[in-house]
Amino acid sequence: MKWTPVHRPEPQRLWRRFALATSIRMERHFPGKKEYFTMKTSAVTGGTGSKERGIGPVVVNMLRERGYEVFNLDIAAPAPGASNFRQVDLTHYGDTFAALYGADAVVHLAANANPDFDHFTGAQRFHTNTLATYNVFQAAIAQGMEKV
């Protein structure tokens, strides 16, 4: 039996058509105000960070200060009160694809960076980190993202 790829609809392309049509209509009514109708949405994997290395929350806050709508994607829950958090296991492609849906760009910071104590845990950590990165890039490509 020959393997054939599954046809997936391209929702991002449909959304871009809608956004373009909307921005053209808005430009007609509000000349020179086009920047207000451009949605900037970013997903940050590993946005919760860890106690020792907290780069994720810094990046999430920096993007929010610059006017981006930010989705924090992580397997660990952030501090109470954090908004736009999506708990996701990036080693599962379907979960990764669903979590990245609607984002224009992704900042991939998620990784297990603990030192290797023996070969087995180091090999498992390498496999997990590599698979998560692969899934993020594949989901970004499938959804038509231009920036990773």
Side-chain angles (χ1 to χ4, degrees), residues 24-31:
I24 290 171
R25 268 184 269 148
M26 295 303 230
E27 178 67 25
R28 219 178 294 144
H29 296 290
F30 303 99

Side-chain angles (χ1 to χ4, degrees), residues 1 3 16 23 29 74-75 77 82 87 90 92-93 109-110 116 119 125 128 135-136 147-148:
M1 187 162 94
W3 180 84
R16 284 185 183 154
S23 67
H29 296 290
D74 209 322
I75 200 163
Q87 190 165 13
L90 295 175
H92 187 270
Y93 177 73
L109 301 174
D116 296 342
H119 178 71
R125 191 173 306 105
T128 302
N135 286 342
V136 167
K147 296 190 178 195
V148 177

